[in-house]
Amino acid sequence: MSAGTSYAHGTSDTPLLGDTIGANLARAVERFPGREALVDVPSGRRWTYAEFGAAVDRLARALMAAGTGRGDRVGIWAVNCPEWVLTQYATARIGAIMVNINPAYRAHELAYVLNQAGVSLLIASLAHRTSDYRDLVDRVRADCPRLRAVHYIGDPSWDELLAGTVPDGELAAREAELSCDDPINIQYTSGTTGFPKGATLTHHNILNNGFFVGEMLGYTERDRICLPVPFYHCFGMVMGNLAATSHGACAVIPAPSFDPAATLRAVQRERCTSLYGVPTMFIAELNLPDFAAYDLSSLRTGIMAGSPCPVEVMKRVVAEMHMAEVSICYGMTETSPVSTQTRRDDDLERRTGTVGRVMPHVEVKVVDPATGTTLPRGETGELRTRGYSVMLGYWDEPERTAEAIDAGRWMHTGDLAVMREDGYVRIVGRIKDMIIRGGENVYPREIEEFLHAHPKIADVQVVGVPDERYGEEVLACVIPRDPADPPTLDDITAFCRERLAHYKVPRRLEVLDAFPMTVSGKVRKVELRRVHGG
């Protein structure tokens, strides 16, 4: 294709890794035995690479002793904790397929995932917040005939699991059978309608994605990565854990689930060099009353991803959190996840106005969603991606797989994007989130970015709601900086009038205390439309 089309290929002098995850971890253990691999701040537990490798080995043998075969599905339904990480690497070492289960799931959702994936062994937390996991499992177990064993972290049943073992030769023989193209992970995408789909990922998919994300951030064995993002999501287990172990770096767990103060305490105490989060997490940290009291001077980099990153928030993260090399990543579970990323030496405009450029060994293009034709640079269309990172498919759902991955193995992201002349990509919004007002296409992201600069607005989400005259109307849902002095619709109209086309100016306003969120930190726009669209 000519240079003027919206296509880019990430050529690289660094080859893809051909390892399994177990082999890659073994190399890190050999190179960095005395360096810290994992720190759990809440419990004070720490593992060097030698200790972490031994702990993974012990759990791998225990799972084999419990009858877990290659390709068997092992569910992990737990908040962030060291046992989650050990399970991730132990299942990979024996070729079992780890099934990530969202800790927020209730009984109905849990039963669906256990049955859809055919989970035979489940590892679970005992409880978190209002969830009693043992009670929920007991309620669905009779409806899950393939579930033969459940082990609870911190419970005698966990100790019983670890008591089992197999000889050295059996584990070595199992590992010798494995291929880097074997499926070893099923991640359920948070469907906004209907049941979630299980993206099926290989060693090759996620090990390489984690490795190249770490390469873009310049990771070495000296880095310490604070991970307040959930492990059940690819942000935590791939961009976090696998980026760390593939570089000999240390993963730091600040809390079982996101807590802004605990996150900053962990950065300060553990002298973390990198911090991850979705934009709402960074906003919560920056808005802590005692934010200025934390010593964050050890930070140099990190990732802001998971949903569109507001320009004003990114500027504050760079200026006030010492994250001069912070990166934006864009991707989706089905692509392991990252397809584009900003680089460490990018200027502020690229790191705030785009989601970066194509990753090494990956292809991206922007097409007319109706025809599939690649568009000229600068035009809006659907972003599609191809390469090592694209999932095998949705578990046991060939029809839904065929809807997402075409005959050329291009993954259809469903995201509207523009590829600039310099190859950097700007995400305009979701195809399904685009507002059509009186025949005009309105992209919520553009309006959200603009309203983030309003002095009375701390955070904002824009959605389309039904309107008799125009088909859809623009609704701005805002969280005010000062609840006692929220913006009015007149304030917002005046702020927008000179800078935005009339059809983009919000005609409705809702002032909220918080947005409805998924556990992974994404705003549930479908719920904003449903609740406030009347």
Side-chain angles (χ1 to χ4, degrees):
M1 297 185 185
S2 70
T5 57
S6 297
Y7 169 87
H9 172 220
T11 56
S12 176
D13 293 331
T14 304
L16 287 166
L17 301 174
D19 298 336
T20 62
I21 288 169
N24 187 262
L25 175 63
R27 193 155 56 249
V29 169
E30 184 179 356
R31 289 181 65 199
F32 310 111
R35 297 201 71 92
E36 284 191 329
L38 182 64
V39 174
D40 183 47
V41 174
S43 69
R45 292 179 290 167
R46 297 169 181 272
W47 288 259
T48 63
Y49 266 91
E51 292 164 344
F52 182 71
V56 169
D57 187 276
R58 181 185 180 194
L59 180 55
R61 292 166 188 255
L63 289 169
M64 287 183 66
T68 305
R70 178 181 177 186
D72 286 354
R73 272 77 70 205
V74 175
I76 176 77
W77 190 35
V79 292
N80 283 15
C81 61
E83 289 78 8
W84 207 110
V85 185
L86 293 171
T87 301
Q88 175 183 346
Y89 288 85
T91 50
R93 279 197 67 185
I94 65 172
I97 300 175
M98 183 177 72
V99 180
N100 301 9
I101 305 175
N102 187 327
Y105 277 178
R106 310 310 293 168
H108 181 58
E109 299 155 312
L110 172 66
Y112 174 79
V113 166
L114 292 174
N115 285 322
Q116 204 276 327
V119 171
S120 58
L121 186 148
L122 177 65
I123 294 170
S125 293
L126 278 166
H128 183 66
R129 293 181 176 165
T130 60
S131 293
D132 180 335
Y133 292 106
R134 193 195 301 271
D135 175 64
L136 289 166
V137 170
D138 288 347
R139 283 158 54 184
V140 305
R141 195 155 184 183
D143 299 320
C144 302
R146 284 178 286 185
L147 180 63
R148 56 178 176 76
V150 184
H151 300 277
Y152 296 95
I153 298 164
D155 178 74
S157 62
W158 177 254
D159 298 327
E160 289 165 13
L161 172 64
L162 287 179
T165 192
V166 296
D168 284 355
E170 285 190 35
L171 178 55
R174 174 72 65 84
E175 288 191 283
E177 298 172 359
L178 306 183
S179 161
C180 65
D181 294 319
D182 290 341
I184 44 83
N185 187 211
I186 297 174
Q187 298 191 32
Y188 279 87
T189 61
S190 51
T192 52
T193 58
F195 283 109
K197 299 168 290 196
T200 306
L201 302 165
T202 67
H203 296 269
H204 196 66
N205 288 146
I206 61 176
L207 175 59
N208 276 291
N209 206 258
F211 173 70
F212 279 102
V213 165
E215 288 288 285
M216 296 302 103
L217 295 171
Y219 281 164
T220 71
E221 70 275 13
R222 292 181 294 278
D223 281 291
R224 299 173 69 79
I225 310 164
C226 185
L227 297 175
V229 293
F231 289 148
Y232 85 85
H233 189 269
C234 43
F235 200 169
M237 69 161 283
V238 179
M239 298 155 70
N241 296 339
L242 285 168
T245 57
S246 61
H247 291 87
C250 179
V252 176
I253 304 172
S257 58
F258 176 64
D259 177 317
T263 298
L264 297 190
R265 280 197 302 272
V267 169
Q268 175 176 281
R269 174 177 150 183
E270 296 297 328
R271 306 304 294 159
C272 293
T273 60
S274 180
L275 173 61
Y276 289 10
V278 297
T280 50
M281 291 179 177
F282 283 102
I283 290 168
E285 290 154 8
L286 288 162
N287 287 344
L288 285 171
D290 61 346
F291 169 78
Y294 293 96
D295 178 6
L296 308 178
S297 59
S298 59
L299 288 172
R300 69 166 181 88
T301 190
I303 296 174
M304 195 190 298
S307 59
C309 305
V311 172
E312 295 304 313
V313 176
M314 176 62 96
K315 288 178 178 176
R316 288 193 67 195
V317 166
V318 170
E320 299 173 38
M321 299 181 81
H322 305 280
M323 294 170 62
E325 298 178 13
V326 66
S327 181
I328 286 184
C329 292
Y330 162 81
M332 59 196 304
T333 304
E334 292 90 337
T335 57
S336 301
V338 180
S339 297
T340 69
Q341 184 173 352
T342 58
R343 302 324 199 240
R344 288 187 295 154
D345 57 353
D346 280 341
D347 58 27
L348 188 62
E349 187 277 327
R350 285 191 174 97
R351 284 193 284 115
T352 56
T354 78
V355 292
R357 53 190 168 93
V358 67
M359 291 289 283
H361 303 288
V362 171
E363 297 171 272
V364 294
K365 63 180 179 177
V366 177
V367 306
D368 180 323
T371 66
T373 304
T374 305
L375 295 169
R377 293 201 176 188
E379 292 194 13
T380 300
E382 183 188 18
L383 186 68
R384 295 182 182 176
T385 183
R386 179 168 68 178
Y388 76 83
S389 55
V390 175
M391 66 175 179
L392 292 180
Y394 294 119
W395 182 263
D396 203 24
E397 295 196 89
E399 290 182 3
R400 295 177 91 176
T401 301
E403 291 169 4
I405 303 173
D406 64 29
R409 287 291 296 171
W410 287 95
M411 180 74 207
H412 296 208
T413 68
D415 284 318
L416 291 164
V418 175
M419 185 180 291
R420 310 190 319 184
E421 288 297 331
D422 61 6
Y424 281 72
V425 174
R426 188 164 54 86
I427 300 297
V428 178
R430 294 287 291 167
I431 290 175
K432 65 184 180 185
D433 287 341
M434 186 175 72
I435 302 166
I436 304 177
R437 183 189 183 276
E440 297 277 7
N441 291 348
V442 179
Y443 303 113
R445 171 77 192 279
E446 178 188 2
I447 305 169
E448 290 163 358
E449 287 282 5
F450 180 73
L451 289 178
H452 261 282
H454 193 289
K456 291 188 176 182
I457 293 176
D459 203 358
V460 57
Q461 295 290 320
V462 170
V463 296
V465 293
D467 181 80
E468 286 188 9
R469 182 176 180 186
Y470 292 105
E472 283 189 292
E473 195 50 273
V474 179
L475 163 67
C477 299
V478 306
I479 297 173
R481 287 195 183 279
D482 179 0
D485 184 26
T488 65
L489 186 58
D490 286 344
D491 290 336
I492 288 176
T493 302
F495 187 74
C496 294
R497 189 177 290 124
E498 299 301 318
R499 301 277 299 279
L500 292 180
H502 70 92
Y503 62 87
K504 300 177 185 176
V505 177
R507 297 308 197 276
R508 293 179 53 185
L509 172 69
E510 290 283 348
V511 177
L512 305 175
D513 296 326
F515 298 133
M517 309 288 284
T518 68
V519 172
S520 58
K522 295 182 182 179
V523 176
R524 289 183 52 81
K525 286 199 170 189
V526 66
E527 192 168 328
L528 288 175
R529 282 191 288 269
R530 179 177 59 79
V531 173
H532 303 290

